[in-house]
Structures are given as C-alpha cells and as structure tokens.
Amino acid sequence: MQNPALGAVILWKFAFTYYEANDTHEAPPFQLLFLILPMVLQESTRSVILSTRKSSSLRAFAEKFSSSQMSKADVVLSLQRRIIDLKTLSMDSVEIMVGSGMATIEAESGRVIPSKARGLKQEIPEGIDLLLRAAEYLGIWMSGISVYETVVALRIFL
C-alpha cells in the first residue's frame, strides 16, 4: 500500500484533524508528517491505534506496547526504522498533498495548513476508512502535546 496519493489523503486527514482538535487551531509542524504513514500503514501499529480510545492520549497508546498484555515492544521500537524506510513515500505524499491544494506549508513557521474538507464526501472503501480513522486519532492525540513530548512518548528521533 505504498501509494503516494493515498498517503497524501492520510496526511491531509491527520493535518485537518490536528488543526481542528488544537485549542488554538494551530496547524501541525511539518516534521510530524513523517510519523504518520509509518504508524498508519503498518497493521500491527494501526490496530493498536484503533483499539485505543479516541479521547485517550498518545502516551496511553505508546504505553500499550510496553504492557505485558500487548508484549509488542518491538513494534514501537521498529518505528524509527519505518520512519527512515518510508521517508521517500512521506515526501512524495506531501508533494501530492501540497500540489493538489489539500494543504500548504507556511514558510516561516513550517506548519502544514490543511485546506477545508472537500472531495472526501464520497463513500470511502473499507480498509481505507481504517487508515483515515487511525490518522484522525493521531491528529487528535498529537494536537495537544509538543513535538518533544511526541518523540519522547514514541521513543524516536526526528
């Protein structure tokens, strides 16, 4: 599923949800876009995202990987490698997202300003809806914390 057009829609959903969920309607920082596809496109990570309450937090999501019930610490530890492996896909997806007018990147702040929702009103195929819902959860969770808190919770480097 390494389709940059699909990646663009997933990144737009994340950015739009982040913007809407943020108390001050601040758009997401550009660097967070590199986390989304590696988390959403991997089934094992996505299933944990979707099994975590939307009203929960990124910390609660990350803690699930270290609990004895989940015993999937290797999944969150492999996130850093997946970020590197999917860097080209993430950039290609950003190019499509910006090129198609789904979002703009503010030069001064480096924030991703999503366009208003349009064009996603069609019926979304099953499976794709799960990817978008996972991106939505991440947008909500990351909108309330700093980039620093995000990377600490996920144990990664950006």
Side-chain angles (χ1 to χ4, degrees):
M1 281 223 283
Q2 294 198 6
N3 177 338
L6 174 59
V9 174
I10 293 168
L11 293 179
W12 172 84
K13 184 65 171 179
F14 164 77
F16 185 80
T17 305
Y18 183 108
Y19 175 81
E20 290 290 312
N22 188 279
D23 292 339
T24 61
H25 288 295
E26 191 169 58
F30 178 76
Q31 62 265 42
L32 289 183
L33 297 183
F34 291 94
L35 303 178
I36 306 310
L37 297 182
M39 294 176 74
V40 169
L41 294 179
Q42 176 151 12
E43 194 280 326
S44 56
T45 308
R46 182 178 60 251
S47 65
V48 177
I49 291 169
L50 296 174
S51 71
T52 307
R53 291 188 186 122
K54 187 192 289 192
S55 61
S56 194
S57 69
L58 189 67
R59 285 181 211 89
F61 158 75
E63 286 171 7
K64 282 187 170 188
F65 289 101
S66 58
S67 75
S68 59
Q69 296 170 343
M70 291 296 290
S71 75
K72 290 186 177 181
D74 59 322
V75 174
V76 79
L77 293 175
S78 69
L79 179 58
Q80 186 73 51
R81 171 74 22 250
R82 287 195 319 271
I83 291 168
I84 294 166
D85 291 346
L86 294 179
K87 186 170 105 176
T88 300
L89 175 64
S90 294
M91 275 307 299
D92 291 346
S93 298
V94 168
E95 285 180 30
I96 291 173
M97 181 179 66
V98 171
S100 66
M102 297 168 73
T104 58
I105 299 173
E106 193 174 74
E108 287 182 27
S109 68
R111 296 203 173 260
V112 181
I113 314 296
S115 300
K116 296 276 188 225
R118 62 173 202 253
L120 285 180
K121 298 189 186 341
Q122 301 169 357
E123 189 170 318
I124 298 169
E126 189 175 333
I128 303 298
D129 64 329
L130 296 176
L131 300 174
L132 296 177
R133 192 163 10 124
E136 179 182 357
Y137 283 28
L138 292 172
I140 291 168
W141 298 338
M142 291 181 189
S143 72
I145 60 176
S146 69
V147 173
Y148 174 76
E149 291 171 298
T150 299
V151 298
V152 167
L154 296 175
R155 299 179 201 135
I156 57 163
F157 300 101
L158 279 179

Coordinates of all heavy atoms in Angstrom, one line a residue, residues 72-131:
K72 N 4.4 -6.2 22.6 CA 4.7 -5.8 21.3 C 5.7 -4.7 21.3 O 5.7 -3.8 20.5 CB 3.5 -5.4 20.5 CG 2.6 -6.5 20.2 CD 1.5 -6.1 19.2 CE 0.6 -7.2 18.8 NZ -0.5 -6.7 17.9
A73 N 6.6 -4.7 22.3 CA 7.6 -3.6 22.4 C 8.4 -3.4 21.1 O 8.8 -2.3 20.8 CB 8.5 -3.8 23.6
D74 N 8.6 -4.5 20.4 CA 9.4 -4.4 19.2 C 8.7 -3.6 18.1 O 9.4 -3.0 17.2 CB 9.7 -5.8 18.6 CG 8.5 -6.6 18.3 OD1 7.5 -6.5 19.1 OD2 8.5 -7.4 17.3
V75 N 7.4 -3.5 18.1 CA 6.6 -2.7 17.1 C 7.0 -1.3 17.3 O 7.3 -0.6 16.3 CB 5.1 -3.0 17.3 CG1 4.4 -2.1 16.3 CG2 4.8 -4.5 17.0
V76 N 6.9 -0.8 18.5 CA 7.2 0.7 18.7 C 8.7 0.9 18.6 O 9.1 2.0 18.1 CB 6.6 1.2 20.1 CG1 7.5 0.8 21.2 CG2 6.5 2.7 20.1
L77 N 9.5 0.0 18.9 CA 10.9 0.1 18.7 C 11.3 0.2 17.3 O 12.3 0.8 16.9 CB 11.7 -0.9 19.5 CG 11.6 -0.9 21.0 CD1 12.3 -2.1 21.6 CD2 12.2 0.4 21.6
S78 N 10.6 -0.5 16.4 CA 10.9 -0.5 15.0 C 10.3 0.7 14.3 O 10.6 0.9 13.1 CB 10.3 -1.8 14.3 OG 8.9 -1.8 14.3
L79 N 9.6 1.6 15.0 CA 9.1 2.8 14.4 C 10.2 3.7 13.8 O 10.0 4.2 12.7 CB 8.2 3.5 15.4 CG 7.6 4.8 14.9 CD1 6.7 4.6 13.7 CD2 6.8 5.5 16.0
Q80 N 11.2 3.8 14.5 CA 12.3 4.7 13.9 C 12.8 4.1 12.6 O 13.0 4.9 11.6 CB 13.5 4.7 14.9 CG 14.6 5.6 14.5 CD 14.2 7.1 14.8 OE1 13.8 7.4 15.8 NE2 14.4 7.9 13.7
R81 N 13.0 2.8 12.4 CA 13.4 2.3 11.2 C 12.3 2.5 10.1 O 12.6 2.8 9.0 CB 13.7 0.8 11.4 CG 13.9 0.0 10.1 CD 15.1 0.1 9.4 NE 16.4 0.4 9.3 CZ 17.0 1.4 8.7 NH1 16.4 2.4 8.2 NH2 18.3 1.5 8.5
R82 N 11.1 2.3 10.4 CA 10.0 2.5 9.5 C 9.9 4.0 9.0 O 9.6 4.3 7.9 CB 8.6 2.1 10.0 CG 8.5 0.6 10.1 CD 7.1 0.1 10.4 NE 6.3 0.8 11.3 CZ 6.3 0.6 12.6 NH1 7.0 -0.3 13.2 NH2 5.5 1.3 13.4
I83 N 10.2 4.9 9.9 CA 10.2 6.3 9.5 C 11.3 6.6 8.5 O 11.0 7.2 7.5 CB 10.5 7.2 10.8 CG1 9.3 7.2 11.7 CG2 10.8 8.7 10.4 CD1 9.5 7.8 13.1
I84 N 12.4 6.0 8.6 CA 13.5 6.1 7.7 C 13.1 5.4 6.4 O 13.3 6.0 5.3 CB 14.8 5.6 8.2 CG1 15.3 6.4 9.4 CG2 15.9 5.5 7.2 CD1 16.4 5.8 10.3
D85 N 12.6 4.2 6.5 CA 12.2 3.4 5.3 C 11.2 4.1 4.4 O 11.1 4.0 3.2 CB 11.8 2.0 5.6 CG 12.9 1.2 6.2 OD1 14.1 1.6 6.0 OD2 12.6 0.1 6.8
L86 N 10.2 4.8 5.1 CA 9.1 5.4 4.4 C 9.3 6.9 4.2 O 8.3 7.6 3.8 CB 7.8 5.2 5.2 CG 7.4 3.7 5.2 CD1 6.1 3.5 6.0 CD2 7.2 3.1 3.8
K87 N 10.5 7.4 4.3 CA 10.7 8.8 4.2 C 10.4 9.3 2.7 O 9.8 10.3 2.5 CB 12.2 9.2 4.5 CG 12.5 10.6 4.5 CD 13.9 10.9 5.1 CE 14.9 11.2 4.0 NZ 16.2 11.5 4.4
T88 N 10.8 8.5 1.7 CA 10.5 8.9 0.4 C 9.0 8.9 0.1 O 8.5 9.8 -0.5 CB 11.2 8.0 -0.6 OG1 12.6 8.0 -0.4 CG2 10.9 8.3 -2.1
L89 N 8.3 7.9 0.6 CA 6.9 7.8 0.4 C 6.2 9.0 1.1 O 5.3 9.7 0.5 CB 6.3 6.5 1.0 CG 4.8 6.4 0.9 CD1 4.2 6.4 -0.5 CD2 4.3 5.2 1.7
S90 N 6.7 9.4 2.3 CA 6.1 10.5 3.0 C 6.3 11.8 2.2 O 5.4 12.6 2.1 CB 6.7 10.6 4.4 OG 6.4 9.5 5.2
M91 N 7.5 12.0 1.7 CA 7.8 13.2 0.9 C 7.0 13.2 -0.4 O 6.4 14.3 -0.7 CB 9.3 13.3 0.6 CG 10.1 14.0 1.7 SD 9.5 15.6 2.2 CE 9.6 16.5 0.7
D92 N 6.9 12.1 -1.1 CA 6.1 12.1 -2.3 C 4.6 12.4 -2.0 O 3.9 13.1 -2.7 CB 6.1 10.7 -2.9 CG 7.5 10.4 -3.5 OD1 8.3 11.3 -3.7 OD2 7.8 9.2 -3.9
S93 N 4.1 11.9 -0.8 CA 2.8 12.1 -0.4 C 2.6 13.6 0.0 O 1.5 14.2 -0.4 CB 2.4 11.3 0.8 OG 2.5 9.9 0.5
V94 N 3.5 14.2 0.6 CA 3.5 15.7 0.9 C 3.4 16.5 -0.4 O 2.6 17.4 -0.5 CB 4.7 16.1 1.8 CG1 4.8 17.6 1.9 CG2 4.6 15.5 3.2
E95 N 4.2 16.1 -1.4 CA 4.2 16.8 -2.7 C 2.9 16.7 -3.3 O 2.4 17.7 -3.8 CB 5.3 16.2 -3.6 CG 6.7 16.6 -3.2 CD 7.7 16.0 -4.2 OE1 7.4 15.8 -5.4 OE2 8.9 15.7 -3.7
I96 N 2.2 15.6 -3.3 CA 0.9 15.4 -3.9 C -0.1 16.2 -3.1 O -1.0 16.9 -3.6 CB 0.5 14.0 -4.0 CG1 1.4 13.3 -5.0 CG2 -1.0 13.8 -4.3 CD1 1.2 11.8 -5.1
M97 N 0.0 16.2 -1.7 CA -1.0 16.9 -0.9 C -0.9 18.4 -1.2 O -1.9 19.1 -1.3 CB -0.7 16.6 0.6 CG -1.6 17.3 1.6 SD -1.3 16.9 3.3 CE 0.4 17.6 3.5
V98 N 0.3 18.9 -1.2 CA 0.5 20.4 -1.5 C 0.2 20.7 -2.9 O -0.5 21.7 -3.2 CB 1.9 20.8 -1.1 CG1 2.2 22.2 -1.5 CG2 2.2 20.7 0.4
G99 N 0.7 19.9 -3.9 CA 0.4 20.1 -5.3 C -1.0 20.1 -5.7 O -1.4 20.8 -6.6
S100 N -1.8 19.3 -5.0 CA -3.2 19.2 -5.3 C -4.1 20.2 -4.5 O -5.3 20.2 -4.7 CB -3.7 17.8 -5.0 OG -3.7 17.5 -3.6
G101 N -3.5 21.0 -3.7 CA -4.2 22.0 -3.0 C -4.9 21.5 -1.7 O -5.7 22.3 -1.1
M102 N -4.5 20.4 -1.2 CA -5.1 19.8 0.0 C -4.5 20.5 1.2 O -5.1 20.5 2.3 CB -4.8 18.3 0.1 CG -5.5 17.5 -1.0 SD -4.9 15.8 -1.1 CE -5.7 15.1 0.4
A103 N -3.3 21.1 1.1 CA -2.7 21.8 2.2 C -1.6 22.7 1.6 O -1.1 22.5 0.5 CB -2.1 20.8 3.2
T104 N -1.1 23.6 2.5 CA 0.0 24.4 2.1 C 1.0 24.4 3.3 O 0.6 24.0 4.4 CB -0.4 25.9 1.9 OG1 -1.0 26.4 3.1 CG2 -1.3 26.1 0.7
I105 N 2.2 24.7 3.0 CA 3.2 24.7 4.1 C 3.7 26.1 4.3 O 4.2 26.8 3.4 CB 4.4 23.8 3.8 CG1 3.9 22.3 3.6 CG2 5.5 23.9 4.9 CD1 5.0 21.4 3.1
E106 N 3.4 26.6 5.5 CA 3.8 28.0 5.9 C 5.3 28.1 6.0 O 5.9 27.4 6.8 CB 3.1 28.4 7.1 CG 3.1 29.9 7.4 CD 2.2 30.1 8.7 OE1 2.7 29.8 9.8 OE2 1.1 30.7 8.5
A107 N 5.9 28.9 5.2 CA 7.4 29.0 5.1 C 8.0 29.5 6.5 O 9.0 28.9 6.9 CB 7.8 30.0 4.0
E108 N 7.4 30.4 7.1 CA 8.0 31.0 8.3 C 7.9 30.0 9.5 O 8.9 29.8 10.2 CB 7.3 32.3 8.7 CG 7.7 33.4 7.8 CD 7.0 34.7 8.3 OE1 6.7 34.9 9.5 OE2 6.8 35.6 7.4
S109 N 6.8 29.4 9.7 CA 6.6 28.5 10.9 C 6.9 27.0 10.6 O 7.1 26.3 11.5 CB 5.2 28.7 11.4 OG 4.2 28.1 10.5
G110 N 6.8 26.6 9.3 CA 7.0 25.2 9.0 C 5.8 24.4 9.3 O 5.8 23.2 9.5
R111 N 4.6 25.1 9.4 CA 3.4 24.4 9.8 C 2.6 24.0 8.5 O 2.7 24.7 7.5 CB 2.5 25.2 10.7 CG 3.3 25.4 12.1 CD 2.3 25.7 13.2 NE 3.1 25.7 14.5 CZ 3.1 24.7 15.3 NH1 2.4 23.6 15.1 NH2 3.8 24.7 16.5
V112 N 1.9 22.9 8.6 CA 1.1 22.4 7.5 C -0.3 22.9 7.6 O -1.0 22.4 8.6 CB 1.1 20.9 7.4 CG1 0.4 20.3 6.2 CG2 2.6 20.4 7.3
I113 N -0.8 23.8 6.8 CA -2.1 24.4 6.8 C -3.0 23.5 5.9 O -2.9 23.6 4.7 CB -2.1 25.8 6.4 CG1 -1.0 26.6 7.0 CG2 -3.5 26.5 6.6 CD1 -1.0 26.8 8.5
P114 N -4.0 22.8 6.5 CA -4.8 21.9 5.7 C -5.9 22.8 5.0 O -6.4 23.8 5.6 CB -5.4 20.9 6.7 CG -5.4 21.7 8.0 CD -4.2 22.6 7.9
S115 N -6.3 22.4 3.8 CA -7.5 23.0 3.2 C -8.8 22.5 3.8 O -8.7 21.5 4.5 CB -7.5 22.7 1.7 OG -6.3 23.2 1.1
K116 N -9.8 23.2 3.6 CA -11.1 22.7 4.1 C -11.5 21.4 3.5 O -11.0 21.0 2.4 CB -12.2 23.7 3.7 CG -12.1 25.1 4.4 CD -12.7 25.0 5.8 CE -12.7 26.4 6.3 NZ -12.2 26.5 7.7
A117 N -12.3 20.6 4.2 CA -12.7 19.3 3.7 C -13.5 19.4 2.5 O -14.5 20.1 2.5 CB -13.5 18.5 4.8
R118 N -13.0 18.8 1.4 CA -13.8 18.7 0.2 C -13.2 17.5 -0.6 O -12.1 17.2 -0.6 CB -13.6 20.0 -0.6 CG -12.2 20.3 -1.1 CD -12.2 21.5 -2.0 NE -10.9 21.4 -2.8 CZ -9.9 22.1 -2.6 NH1 -9.9 23.1 -1.7 NH2 -8.8 22.0 -3.3
G119 N -14.1 16.9 -1.3 CA -13.7 15.8 -2.1 C -13.6 14.4 -1.4 O -13.5 13.4 -2.0
L120 N -13.7 14.4 -0.1 CA -13.8 13.1 0.6 C -15.2 12.7 1.0 O -15.4 11.9 1.8 CB -12.9 13.2 1.9 CG -11.4 13.2 1.7 CD1 -10.7 13.3 3.1 CD2 -11.0 11.9 1.0
K121 N -16.1 13.4 0.4 CA -17.5 13.1 0.8 C -18.1 11.8 0.1 O -19.1 11.4 0.4 CB -18.4 14.3 0.4 CG -18.0 15.5 1.2 CD -18.9 16.7 1.0 CE -18.6 18.0 1.6 NZ -17.6 18.1 2.6
Q122 N -17.3 11.3 -0.8 CA -17.7 10.0 -1.5 C -17.5 8.9 -0.5 O -16.9 9.0 0.5 CB -16.8 9.8 -2.7 CG -16.9 10.9 -3.7 CD -15.8 10.7 -4.8 OE1 -15.0 9.8 -4.7 NE2 -15.8 11.6 -5.7
E123 N -18.2 7.8 -0.8 CA -18.0 6.6 0.0 C -16.6 6.1 0.0 O -16.0 6.0 -1.1 CB -19.0 5.5 -0.4 CG -19.1 4.4 0.6 CD -20.2 3.4 0.2 OE1 -21.3 3.9 -0.2 OE2 -19.9 2.2 0.3
I124 N -16.0 5.9 1.2 CA -14.6 5.5 1.3 C -14.6 4.0 1.4 O -15.3 3.4 2.3 CB -14.0 6.2 2.5 CG1 -14.0 7.7 2.2 CG2 -12.5 5.7 2.7 CD1 -13.6 8.5 3.4
P125 N -13.8 3.3 0.6 CA -13.8 1.8 0.7 C -13.3 1.3 2.1 O -12.5 2.0 2.7 CB -12.7 1.5 -0.4 CG -12.5 2.6 -1.2 CD -12.9 3.8 -0.4
E126 N -13.9 0.2 2.4 CA -13.5 -0.4 3.7 C -12.0 -0.7 3.7 O -11.4 -1.1 2.6 CB -14.3 -1.7 3.9 CG -14.1 -2.3 5.3 CD -15.0 -3.5 5.5 OE1 -16.0 -3.6 4.9 OE2 -14.5 -4.3 6.4
G127 N -11.3 -0.5 4.7 CA -9.9 -0.6 4.8 C -9.2 0.7 4.7 O -8.4 1.0 5.6
I128 N -9.6 1.5 3.7 CA -9.1 2.9 3.6 C -9.7 3.7 4.8 O -9.0 4.5 5.4 CB -9.5 3.5 2.3 CG1 -8.9 2.7 1.1 CG2 -9.0 5.0 2.2 CD1 -7.4 2.5 1.1
D129 N -10.9 3.4 5.1 CA -11.5 4.2 6.3 C -10.8 3.9 7.6 O -10.7 4.8 8.4 CB -13.0 3.8 6.4 CG -13.3 2.3 6.8 OD1 -12.5 1.5 6.4 OD2 -14.3 2.1 7.4
L130 N -10.2 2.7 7.7 CA -9.4 2.4 8.9 C -8.1 3.3 8.9 O -7.7 3.7 10.0 CB -9.1 1.0 9.0 CG -10.3 0.0 9.2 CD1 -9.8 -1.4 9.1 CD2 -11.1 0.3 10.4
L131 N -7.5 3.4 7.8 CA -6.3 4.2 7.7 C -6.6 5.7 8.0 O -5.9 6.3 8.8 CB -5.7 4.2 6.3 CG -5.3 2.8 5.7 CD1 -4.9 2.9 4.3 CD2 -4.3 2.2 6.6

